[in-house]
Amino acid sequence: MLSDKELNVNLLDKLDLLERLEMAGNEGGYEKIKQQLAFERKCIERKLYQNPPLTEA
């Protein structure tokens, strides 16, 4: 089970993502949002597949 601190960090990460997408929309519309989404996907995949894993099994 995640602690309160871990939950807060996850929620803050999501808020950061939403803010970046909103800024992309304000700056360049749909195409800019598509580029930002591709970038965010790469960042998430990098975290997901990092070595060693974030948590112990």
Side-chain angles (χ1 to χ4, degrees):
M1 178 126 177
L2 297 176
S3 69
D4 286 345
K5 183 177 179 180
E6 290 169 317
L7 289 173
N8 286 343
V9 167
N10 289 337
L11 291 173
L12 288 171
D13 283 344
K14 290 179 183 191
L15 280 174
D16 288 343
L17 172 61
L18 290 173
E19 287 178 14
R20 288 190 298 269
L21 291 172
E22 286 175 350
M23 286 189 318
N26 291 336
E27 291 173 5
Y30 181 70
E31 287 301 317
K32 183 71 175 175
I33 291 174
K34 282 178 39 179
Q35 291 173 355
Q36 189 68 31
L37 283 169
F39 173 76
E40 298 298 338
R41 177 183 297 276
K42 287 179 187 176
C43 291
I44 291 169
E45 287 174 348
R46 196 174 308 130
K47 287 180 184 179
L48 183 61
Y49 299 118
Q50 74 181 3
N51 244 342
L54 294 174
T55 59
E56 295 180 26

